[in-house]
Amino acid sequence: MIDKSDLRRSLQSNDWVGNSFKILSDISSVSSFDEATGREFVIRALDSRNQLSENYRNILQELAVKVGLHPYVEELNPLSLRSAIIHASHRAEGVMDGVILHSSQAKVLRYLVEGRSVVLSAPTSFGKSLLIDILIASKDFVNLVLIVPTLALVEETRRRMALFSERYSIITSSNQTYGDNNIFVLTQERFLSLEEELPPVDFFAIDEFYKLSITEEGSRATHLNQALLKLIKTGAQFYMLGPSIRAIPDFAEQRLNCKFLIESFQTVAIELHALSKKPNKMESLATLLDNIDGPTMIYCQSPASTRKLLKKYLEIRDIPQTEDPELIEASEWTSVNYHSEWLVSKALRYGIGIHHGKLPRALGRFMVRAFEEKKLSILLCTSTLIEGVNTAAKNVVVFDSKIGGNRQPLDFFTFNNIRGRSGRMFKHFVGHVFYFDTPPQEELPFVDVPAINPNASTPSSLLIQMDKDTIPDALKEKYASLTSNPLIPAEILKKITSIEPEYLIATAGYLHSLTTQQLGSFIWSNRPVYDDIKLTSEVIWVHLGGDASAKKSAIYSPSMMTYWIWSLYKSRSVAKFRGEMIRNQIQKNGSADDAVENVLSFLRGWASFNYPKYLTALSDIASSVLRARGFEECNYYPFAVSIEHLFQPSSFSTLEEYGLPSEISEQLLLRRLFNKEDDIGEVISSLKGIDLGVHAGGIFERKILEDFQIGIGGKTSNG
């Protein structure tokens, strides 16, 4: 009987190659009665394949076919006829020709090609997203909707979908014109905010579907359920995908008429290593970094934690500065445009990247690209990267055992997600995960779907979107109280999907309680004065529930909200506003890191996202109350749109998502490569066919421009 533990230890050592016949024979035997373990052993052997003689490499390829690892087969000629036929049957066709599926992917794809809807739970390294691409290549869909959880994934998916740009218009924002055939790549919030009516949908996909479960911070889950509810009504085939999930409710499979699949197929092997906290965590981490090779991702619970870790690391180790000219220029560029003492700029000088949710999106994309290109050997990241981008490393270090600013302990599911970032097909056959605290006990989540199973805890904003005849008896009274509230029409409650109806009703009640003179103060449009912004900011903070999201974006009072919005409005310039606010905070004894990241958080999380959402909601509510009281309506929409775009051309925000910083977009605009009135389609058309490299201010900007042009399928200085 083969001892699998001994065999695993042999494969982990570097000397097994000297006993190749015996080891490969044992792997074959194990694969015959335990395919999953046999697959792990084949992956470990593949990590050393270059050390094998040709005959043994051929045997290893046969074993790869045997355990379903068809993508790892490098040459077909040495395969047996049987293995070659099996391998050929896993090859994609059409524009995806050349892509090879592993056996478990092929199983899932068969269901999808047959037209069945599938909910798939599978490991991070499975290749779940690739199935979407192959399905699009295989079938003649007209309109598809792909819902992804972050804007970083919107951009990553958009780049993949560019392969189909001859057949489809790729829509990532509401300011794009629909074509005859469309692929919508959107977050749930953007999907719900589409102004133009959605054309008939024949396929939709929801990535990270486990986020349908409502948690303590459930607003995004609520929006995802609202999106699902809207998409289900189209009757389209769907594919929901996510990492290891224990189960979904039985009724969900029946009501949605779908197949729930749990696949455990692994394409990489992962090793866990416990780290000692002696003499202290930082010294232990530094010693590890001294001795391991390969790209290393270090998970930290928050942006502040990344800064604390990096400062300490640079104190206790004499790290040489990078000689890479792109990183040197990136450090200089961020110093000039943000602050020379910002730790993100300093880290780049040492070949270390930092990635978290406060970074400008284009800078976040640069960090990921530089890490993928091995220019950055270390990437400090928070959960925004773990959940938001399909990147991986040879080594992952779980430095913190908490998540986010609320310091909640990592649960097994989140730990599993982080762990899944180690190893990558074709690059790192064996991933290594290092941790300080004992991993959470194995407990995978059960995913509820409130959109089809409402209960007492279902948010009102989701309940009100449901058809009346689908509401359970226990919730009918609540549903009736929302839809027939005398303070505000039901159509407004249904229109404003992003804020809970209770806040909308409370705000309407407050406005109804005002005197005629007080209510008249809310009548303004387009160009507010300071007092207009002050008045609406107080309502947003006190009555509309905006205080919680404002605090997450470094806004701590309605007066602070008023001052920062007014300052941005007065400056009409992001660069000018950013510089002034950073200097102001530092003068008040703030650190450069806090100052820069507070301003970035305000611009990204509040000014260009949440503030316009609350202001337009208030505009609808105030107009309703004003009409009821005999006044003319207000209209805050023009001002909200200007703030959302940060008083820049509307194309700038989309270009930022495509990887082009607004500072570079501004230079291209000044050189008249496009016009500020152009929509994003016109801008892309203008920038697609020219050599943008000649407009770069150095290597860093040239690489940014090249990456941007590759992403839009355009010409680059490299052709």
Side-chain angles (χ1 to χ4, degrees):
M1 186 70 177
I2 296 169
D3 188 315
K4 289 187 281 190
S5 297
D6 284 346
L7 182 52
R8 184 178 288 107
R9 280 191 292 270
S10 296
L11 288 165
Q12 288 170 329
S13 70
N14 293 322
D15 57 4
W16 75 269
V17 175
N19 194 20
S20 301
F21 180 82
K22 172 69 166 60
I23 296 297
L24 293 176
S25 176
D26 287 348
I27 292 174
S28 179
S29 296
V30 171
S31 302
S32 298
F33 64 84
D34 183 353
E35 187 174 295
T37 304
R39 186 178 306 117
E40 177 206 337
F41 292 162
V42 170
I43 292 167
R44 290 183 181 278
L46 284 165
D47 197 34
S48 303
R49 70 195 183 286
N50 292 333
Q51 301 173 40
L52 297 173
S53 66
E54 183 178 352
N55 286 338
Y56 289 130
R57 281 203 303 272
N58 294 343
I59 292 172
L60 185 55
Q61 290 201 103
E62 289 283 349
L63 288 174
V65 174
K66 181 177 183 177
V67 296
L69 289 168
H70 311 298
Y72 282 145
V73 174
E74 295 175 327
E75 297 179 46
L76 296 180
N77 288 339
L79 292 179
S80 67
L81 178 60
R82 178 180 180 278
S83 293
I85 292 172
I86 293 172
H87 185 274
S89 70
H90 288 77
R91 179 185 292 274
E93 298 178 350
V95 294
M96 299 297 292
D97 181 41
V99 174
I100 308 297
L101 299 174
H102 58 67
S103 57
S104 193
Q105 281 177 314
K107 169 187 169 183
V108 178
L109 183 63
R110 279 194 293 272
Y111 284 109
L112 292 169
V113 170
E114 289 169 1
R116 298 186 64 175
S117 293
V118 171
V119 178
L120 173 64
S121 166
T124 304
S125 60
F126 182 89
K128 299 181 289 292
S129 299
L130 178 62
L131 295 180
I132 297 174
D133 305 19
I134 296 175
L135 185 65
I136 295 172
S138 305
K139 301 193 75 171
D140 292 323
F141 294 119
V142 178
N143 293 293
L144 307 91
V145 177
L146 310 181
I147 304 293
V148 296
T150 66
L151 288 173
L153 269 176
V154 166
E155 170 56 6
E156 186 178 294
T157 307
R158 182 195 67 81
R159 287 178 174 244
R160 292 199 343 257
M161 292 301 108
L163 183 64
F164 308 108
S165 57
E166 290 188 6
R167 288 171 55 196
Y168 297 96
S169 297
I170 315 300
I171 309 296
T172 61
S173 62
S174 59
N175 60 351
Q176 290 178 256
T177 303
Y178 301 170
D180 294 330
N181 297 355
N182 303 278
I183 300 176
F184 295 85
V185 185
L186 304 160
T187 61
Q188 54 262 41
E189 290 84 2
R190 286 202 174 172
F191 173 73
L192 293 170
S193 67
L194 286 176
E195 295 174 5
E196 193 175 338
E197 185 178 351
L198 196 69
V201 175
D202 42 9
F203 178 81
F204 70 88
I206 293 180
D207 196 3
E208 308 288 4
F209 77 91
Y210 67 89
K211 294 178 183 287
L212 286 164
S213 284
I214 304 290
T215 63
E216 316 79 60
E217 300 180 30
S219 61
R220 297 213 68 206
T222 302
H223 301 155
L224 187 57
N225 275 275
Q226 291 171 345
L228 174 62
L229 192 63
K230 188 173 181 179
L231 287 165
I232 286 172
K233 291 177 181 178
T234 67
Q237 179 190 1
F238 64 82
Y239 171 44
M240 293 198 274
L241 53 151
S244 306
I245 305 298
R246 175 166 55 90
I248 62 172
D250 291 337
F251 66 80
E253 286 191 74
Q254 297 165 4
R255 293 185 191 175
L256 297 177
N257 189 25
C258 65
K259 179 75 173 176
F260 177 54
L261 299 174
I262 299 178
E263 298 293 323
S264 57
F265 195 102
Q266 296 279 1
T267 58
V268 297
I270 296 176
E271 292 188 1
L272 298 179
H273 309 272
L275 295 174
S276 172
K277 294 184 180 180
K278 296 180 180 179
N280 56 67
K281 280 177 69 175
M282 269 313 308
E283 181 57 42
S284 182
L285 174 64
T287 301
L288 172 68
L289 296 176
D290 292 341
N291 293 291
I292 60 173
D293 63 344
T296 301
M297 191 182 294
I298 303 177
Y299 167 76
C300 301
Q301 69 187 47
S302 65
S305 182
T306 65
R307 299 201 304 259
K308 183 179 177 182
L309 186 156
L310 183 59
K311 286 178 181 176
K312 190 64 178 176
Y313 181 51
L314 295 178
E315 282 177 16
I316 64 177
R317 288 294 188 273
D318 185 15
I319 308 298
Q321 293 199 11
T322 183
E323 296 181 0
D324 186 284
E326 184 184 1
L327 295 188
I328 292 170
E329 286 192 13
S331 176
E332 293 170 351
W333 191 90
T334 51
S335 294
V336 168
N337 287 285
Y338 302 99
H339 199 279
S340 60
E341 292 302 308
W342 187 28
L343 205 56
V344 170
S345 300
K346 288 184 173 182
L348 289 170
R349 297 173 208 164
Y350 295 95
I352 299 173
I354 296 178
H355 190 290
H356 53 65
K358 295 184 179 182
L359 289 186
R361 293 186 181 96
L363 194 53
R365 170 155 183 82
F366 160 74
M367 294 290 183
V368 173
R369 176 175 59 79
F371 185 67
E372 295 278 354
E373 293 174 357
K374 299 184 180 178
K375 290 175 177 286
L376 298 172
S377 58
I378 297 172
L379 185 62
L380 308 179
C381 63
T382 61
S383 61
T384 54
L385 181 59
I386 298 298
E387 296 178 355
V389 179
N390 286 321
T391 189
K394 182 177 182 180
N395 311 300
V396 169
V397 181
V398 184
F399 187 77
D400 291 327
S401 58
K402 302 282 194 298
I403 186 166
N406 56 11
R407 298 183 62 80
Q408 289 290 321
L410 281 179
D411 55 27
F412 177 78
F413 180 73
T414 308
F415 179 86
N416 225 28
N417 263 357
I418 297 170
R419 157 186 160 151
R421 294 301 172 185
S422 65
R424 170 177 271 188
M425 286 185 71
F426 309 114
K427 289 188 177 181
H428 313 298
F429 289 94
V430 181
H432 297 270
V433 179
F434 302 86
Y435 58 89
F436 286 97
D437 296 292
T438 304
Q441 202 166 17
E442 183 165 348
E443 185 180 349
L444 291 172
F446 173 88
V447 175
D448 195 11
V449 188
I452 60 171
N453 182 39
N455 55 42
S457 62
T458 299
S460 300
S461 59
L462 178 57
L463 188 67
I464 202 171
Q465 301 296 333
M466 297 180 180
D467 294 332
K468 185 177 181 180
D469 57 1
T470 66
I471 304 297
D473 291 342
L475 297 176
K476 285 183 177 177
E477 186 177 342
K478 180 180 181 181
Y479 181 83
S481 69
L482 293 171
T483 54
S484 58
N485 192 287
L487 295 172
I488 186 169
E491 55 265 27
I492 292 181
L493 297 181
K494 291 183 178 182
K495 175 187 175 185
I496 304 173
T497 60
S498 57
I499 302 172
E500 286 303 311
E502 287 79 2
Y503 288 116
L504 306 179
I505 293 168
T507 301
Y510 166 73
L511 294 176
H512 274 295
S513 73
L514 298 178
T515 65
T516 299
Q517 184 177 0
Q518 290 171 326
L519 185 60
S521 301
F522 284 87
I523 304 173
W524 60 267
S525 301
N526 199 16
R527 296 183 178 180
V529 297
Y530 182 87
D531 284 345
D532 294 332
I533 295 176
K534 182 175 184 292
L535 182 66
T536 51
S537 294
E538 287 173 348
V539 175
I540 288 171
W541 187 278
V542 177
H543 301 284
L544 205 48
D547 56 328
S549 54
K551 288 173 183 175
K552 291 178 182 177
S553 299
I555 298 297
Y556 301 109
S557 68
S559 59
M560 184 178 179
M561 185 198 306
T562 302
Y563 175 67
W564 282 49
I565 292 291
W566 178 253
S567 298
L568 178 59
Y569 178 37
K570 279 197 308 179
S571 70
R572 305 289 210 288
S573 164
V574 172
K576 182 180 177 183
F577 167 82
R578 188 173 59 212
E580 288 178 354
M581 300 306 282
I582 289 171
R583 284 192 296 273
N584 288 347
Q585 289 188 84
I586 292 174
Q587 287 170 3
K588 295 175 182 177
N589 298 318
S591 71
D593 287 315
D594 285 335
V596 171
E597 290 177 12
N598 284 345
V599 174
L600 291 178
S601 185
F602 165 78
L603 289 170
R604 177 170 171 173
W606 187 250
S608 63
F609 181 58
N610 276 310
Y611 179 74
K613 174 183 78 175
Y614 284 104
L615 190 63
T616 53
L618 180 56
S619 182
D620 287 340
I621 299 167
S623 289
S624 172
V625 175
L626 286 165
R627 282 195 305 271
R629 297 275 293 273
F631 286 92
E632 64 177 290
E633 296 181 4
C634 59
N635 182 11
Y636 308 155
Y637 275 76
F639 183 68
V641 170
S642 296
I643 285 285
E644 183 177 13
H645 295 302
L646 304 177
F647 299 100
Q648 300 174 131
S650 61
S651 60
F652 275 29
S653 57
T654 305
L655 291 173
E656 177 86 36
E657 292 167 17
Y658 286 14
L660 198 63
S662 58
E663 294 84 358
I664 297 179
S665 297
E666 184 70 40
Q667 292 303 311
L668 299 181
L669 179 63
L670 290 173
R671 292 170 190 176
R672 299 185 178 180
L673 298 186
F674 62 92
N675 300 311
K676 64 181 180 180
E677 298 84 9
D678 291 347
D679 65 28
I680 187 60
E682 293 170 318
V683 174
I684 294 301
S685 179
S686 299
L687 300 181
K688 197 171 186 177
I690 60 177
D691 181 7
L692 292 180
V694 299
H695 300 283
I699 297 172
F700 170 71
E701 289 194 356
R702 188 178 306 119
K703 289 283 286 183
I704 289 284
L705 287 163
E706 284 180 359
D707 181 61
F708 164 71
Q709 282 201 291
I710 289 169
I712 61 173
K715 176 181 178 181
T716 71
S717 57
N718 291 329

